């Protein structure tokens, strides 16, 4: 409005300055006022709305006053004013653009304005006829004895009485007397006295509980407001408990005061899962004719709602939450529909968009300690649609490091009470080209691992892994240092409250494991302890920005073989350093990441890593350095996460903040390429 006024005043000022500048030199009055372009509105009616009349003194301000007065009417969309000087007068031609239905709008405005005006009549009495306790309602009527009569107050009084809920009808009667006074009488028909309340259709609450929630008492005049299907106490009771589909289908109030309510609670008769196409820019989502890859039993075992239950929004939310936690889905949208043949029946449809879980990736990377590494990896976290994790991985480097691994793990075996199981077969060879003399140069491992576990609930799991391994350790002078068969058992406990195992935004993931092993050919035993704690939380940007933390600590007992030393550094622990740059019998590393989601396919990450592994030259654990976290190495960097049709890709670049050896020079930054989140 202010901008329009400024624009108008500027135009008016320029008009006056250029064409009627002589007005400033003499006194002018307003001459004839005429209207043009009228279609519905009478010109004499509009003239009554003008702040300027024929014969009034004219000034430049007259134009803006007329413009504003007409624009504020509500039934005029635009105004143009053309002043013309003739014989000491300024004649005005006003061009008006009307809105649709301008005449009706004008009549309504005038009628309302007339009703709201005070009259010269004084109110001498205000009464209510037909109510047993009329005095209880007089205060709700805005019209008062001794005040001047305002017609709108009578109308407002009728509404106020009807809104109390106690009257079937309210009819105001206004009587004008000879002495110019007014008496007002509201003739009302009171609702019947409640004789009985009957409620049918409920299963979750007793009839007495619902009567109490309704608030209608037998023997009292019915308050109709308590029967409002959207606001009454019964519906509120259901909604407060999460039963948001309950509704009153029918209300019958008899002349004898008997009230009958028919209730539907919303019984789930069917639950379906449908595949939904990914949403494209400017398009609506639509269901696909193809079937979901994920098998039905994976949905059913995490469902918090069941057929035959009353619909509860908490069960819907719980189901969605558990489905997201599997990490198999990117979108889950519930819809609820009624069934024409049964007013109480509800069908719940979940529209699901599956995350691409299967990927086949070839990769080439480089690190100064491991050289050029090439490999091919197949992975699927929803193998055959059963929620199983399948992996096949082959990697080789020009410095002699090789890995071949195949495995399958089922985090919830079908038809069991959260039993878990899996296996892995592997062949690994690592080589240190810098080794000389009697230094350990090459370690070759061939082994298999079986894992069994059980979920105690949806967050706590216990597992035991049994591993058999054949190990050959070779020194740089090609002498065999050790060759042995190893059997190890590793019990562990896992706590997982993450909201999404694939890309968590909140929750905690922690593991504690203890490994006890026995070397068969060279009888001796060893032990290892490892703790891994991860946490996630959203920031003030909500889902678009997440802080992620990880701390890992490992400890070995005496007689631990050199091939089982911990190794840190590289893409999974301390970025900015080569993979496995630091090894030892004890370890600690910490990572902090800030993850910013740019869109559905891209995420930017900033990170800080810190840690080390410790040992002495005699190959015994360096407990003192480990316990004091001596000489922790630090690195910072940035990364990119891409969600592609062939799986999630991770690109990181880290800068080391410390030299590898105390007093040495820091190395340059390093690039890392891998799959999925770091943790």
């Amino acid at each position: 409005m202010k901008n329009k006024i400024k624009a108008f005043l500027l135009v008016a000022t320029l008009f006056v300055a250029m064409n009627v500048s002589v007005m400033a030199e003499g006194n002018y009055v307003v001459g004839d006022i005429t209207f043009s372009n009228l279609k519905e509105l009478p010109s004499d009616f509009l003239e009554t709305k003008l702040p300027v009349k024929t014969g009034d003194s004219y000034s430049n301000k007259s134009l803006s006053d007329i413009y504003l007065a007409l624009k504020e009417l509500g039934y005029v969309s635009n105004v143009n004013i053309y002043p013309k000087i003739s014989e000491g007068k300024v004649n005005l031609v006003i061009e008006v653009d009307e809105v649709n239905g301008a005449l009706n709008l004008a009549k309504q405005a005038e009628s309302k304005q007339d009703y709201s005006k005070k009259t010269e009549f004084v109110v001498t009495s205000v009464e209510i006829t037909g109510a047993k306790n009329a005095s209880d309602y007089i205060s709700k009527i805005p019209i008062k004895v001794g005040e001047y009569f305002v017609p709108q107050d009578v109308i407002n009084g009728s509404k106020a009485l009807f809104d109390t809920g106690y009257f079937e009808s309210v009819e105001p009667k206004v009587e004008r007397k000879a002495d110019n006074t007014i008496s007002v009488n509201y003739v009302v028909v009171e609702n019947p006295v409640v004789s009985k309340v009957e409620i049918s259709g409920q299963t979750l609450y007793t009839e007495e509980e619902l009567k109490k929630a309704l608030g209608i008492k037998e023997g009292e005049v019915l308050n109709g407001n308590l029967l409002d299907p959207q606001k009454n106490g019964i519906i509120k009771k259901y909604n407060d408990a999460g039963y948001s589909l309950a509704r009153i289908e029918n209300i019958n109030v008899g002349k004898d005061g008997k009230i009958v309510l028919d209730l539907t609670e919303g019984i789930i008769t069917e639950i379906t899962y449908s595949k939904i196409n990914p949403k494209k820019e400017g398009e609506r989502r639509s269901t696909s004719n193809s079937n979901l890859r994920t098998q039905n039993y994976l949905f059913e075992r995490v469902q918090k709602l069941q057929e035959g239950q009353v619909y509860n929004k908490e069960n819907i939310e719980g189901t969605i939450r558990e489905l997201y936690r599997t990490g198999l889905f990117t979108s889950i949208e519930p819809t609820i529909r009624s069934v024409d043949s049964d007013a109480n029946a509800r069908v719940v449809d979940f529209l699901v968009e599956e995350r691409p879980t299967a990927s086949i990736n070839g990769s080439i990377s480089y690190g100064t300690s491991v050289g050029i590494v090439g490999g091919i990896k197949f992975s699927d976290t929803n193998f055959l649609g059963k929620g199983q994790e399948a992996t096949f991985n082959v990697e080789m480097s020009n410095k002699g490091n090789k890995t071949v691994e195949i495995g399958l793990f089922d985090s919830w075996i079908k038809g069991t009470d959260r039993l878990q199981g899996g296996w892995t077969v592997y062949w690994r060879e690592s080589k240190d080209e810098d080794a000389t003399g009697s230094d350990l140069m090459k370690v070759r491992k061939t082994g298999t691992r079986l894992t069994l576990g059980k979920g105690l609930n949806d967050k706590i799991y216990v597992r035991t892994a049994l591993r058999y391994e054949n190990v050959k350790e070779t020194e740089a002078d090609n002498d065999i240092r050790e060759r042995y068969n190893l059997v190890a058992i590793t019990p562990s406990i896992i706590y997982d409250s993450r909201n999404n195992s694939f890309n968590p935004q909140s929750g905690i993931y922690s593991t504690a494991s203890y490994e006890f092993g026995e070397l068969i050919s060279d009888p001796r035993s060893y032990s290892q302890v490892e703790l891994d704690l991860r946490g996630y939380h959203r920031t003030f940007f909500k889902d678009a920005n997440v802080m992620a933390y990880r701390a890992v600590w490992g400890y070995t007992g005496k007689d631990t073989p050199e091939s089982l030393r911990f190794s840190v550094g590289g893409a999974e622990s301390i970025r900015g350093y080569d993979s496995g740059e630091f090894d030892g019998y004890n370890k600690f590393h910490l990572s902090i990441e800030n993850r910013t989601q740019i869109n559905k396919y891209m995420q930017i990450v900033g990170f800080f890593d810190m840690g080390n592994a410790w040992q002495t030259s005699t190959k015994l654990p360096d407990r003192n350095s480990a316990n004091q976290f001596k000489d922790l190495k630090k690195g910072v960097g940035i990364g990119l996460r891409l969600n592609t049709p062939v799986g999630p890709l991770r690109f990181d670049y880290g800068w080391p903040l410390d030299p590898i050896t105390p007093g040495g020079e820091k190395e340059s930054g390093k690039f890392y390429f891998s799959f999925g989140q770091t943790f």
Side-chain angles (χ1 to χ4, degrees), residues 355-484:
R355 180 175 66 82
T357 57
S359 63
I360 300 178
N361 300 288
S363 65
I364 298 178
S365 61
Y366 175 78
T368 55
S369 64
V370 296
I372 298 175
V373 180
I376 184 169
K377 180 178 181 180
F378 165 80
S379 65
D380 190 353
T381 56
N382 191 16
F383 186 59
L384 300 179
K386 298 179 178 181
Q388 300 171 343
E389 299 175 27
T391 58
F392 175 73
N393 185 30
V394 177
E395 284 186 358
M396 295 184 182
S397 79
N398 66 331
K399 291 193 175 184
N401 295 322
K402 303 167 187 164
T403 297
V404 178
E405 182 177 4
I406 184 171
L408 182 70
F409 180 76
D410 193 337
S411 61
W412 189 340
I413 299 173
K414 182 180 180 181
T416 68
D417 185 15
R418 296 186 183 273
L419 290 181
Q420 303 177 323
W423 56 267
T424 303
V425 177
Y426 56 89
W427 179 86
R428 300 186 183 112
E429 184 173 282
S430 60
K431 189 175 182 180
D432 182 2
E433 288 192 338
D434 296 328
T436 60
S438 61
D439 292 340
L440 182 63
M441 179 187 69
K442 183 166 63 176
V443 177
R444 178 180 297 170
K445 299 179 181 180
T446 304
T448 183
R449 182 174 63 249
L450 299 176
T451 303
L452 291 175
K454 185 177 189 315
L456 303 182
N457 52 44
D458 61 346
K459 295 182 177 64
I460 301 176
Y461 305 83
V462 291
R463 291 179 189 166
T464 298
L466 179 65
R467 185 170 91 252
Y468 174 82
E469 202 168 70
N470 176 267
V471 181
K472 179 181 178 181
E473 299 179 359
T474 306
E475 297 177 348
D477 55 12
N478 289 324
D479 289 340
I480 296 176
R481 175 180 293 181
E482 283 191 281
R483 188 167 189 169
Y484 53 85

Side-chain angles (χ1 to χ4, degrees), residues 574 577 582 587-590 609-614 625-626 628-635 657-659:
I574 314 173
Y577 302 88
F582 312 102
K587 71 172 180 178
F588 170 79
H589 58 89
L590 169 73
D609 298 330
M610 177 174 66
N612 207 336
W614 298 272
S625 294
Q628 296 177 11
F629 297 112
K630 184 179 178 181
D631 192 24
L632 292 175
K633 308 301 181 181
K634 298 174 286 296
L657 300 181
D658 301 291

Side-chain angles (χ1 to χ4, degrees), residues 255-269:
K255 293 296 184 181
D256 59 353
K258 182 180 178 180
I259 301 173
V260 178
L261 288 84
D262 296 325
L263 180 70
T264 57
E265 295 176 318
I267 305 296
I268 299 173
T269 57

Side-chain angles (χ1 to χ4, degrees), residues 623-643:
R623 306 297 182 195
N624 184 56
S625 294
N627 292 338
Q628 296 177 11
F629 297 112
K630 184 179 178 181
D631 192 24
L632 292 175
K633 308 301 181 181
K634 298 174 286 296
V636 297
I638 58 174
L640 177 68
R641 310 289 182 261
L642 295 179
N643 188 22

Side-chain angles (χ1 to χ4, degrees), residues 12 62 71 124 296 317 321 338 347 380 513 523 531 551 581 594 663:
S62 301
K71 283 287 290 182
T124 57
N296 283 339
E317 293 168 356
R321 183 168 58 250
S338 301
V347 176
D380 190 353
S513 63
L531 303 177
E581 184 69 59
N594 180 269

Side-chain angles (χ1 to χ4, degrees), residues 65 152 162 223 233 256 282 296 305 355 362 430 458 480 539 578:
D65 289 346
Q152 187 64 43
F162 195 80
N223 185 335
D256 59 353
N296 283 339
L305 68 165
R355 180 175 66 82
S430 60
D458 61 346
I480 296 176
T539 67
D578 281 330

Side-chain angles (χ1 to χ4, degrees), residues 70-101:
L70 293 178
K71 283 287 290 182
E72 289 175 354
L73 291 177
Y75 38 83
V76 173
S77 62
N78 194 30
V79 178
N80 293 304
I81 308 171
Y82 303 97
K84 296 182 180 180
I85 301 174
S86 177
E87 298 179 356
K89 297 181 180 180
V90 180
N91 298 319
L92 302 177
V93 177
I94 304 174
E95 184 181 80
V96 173
D97 293 333
E98 303 171 358
V99 301
N100 292 332

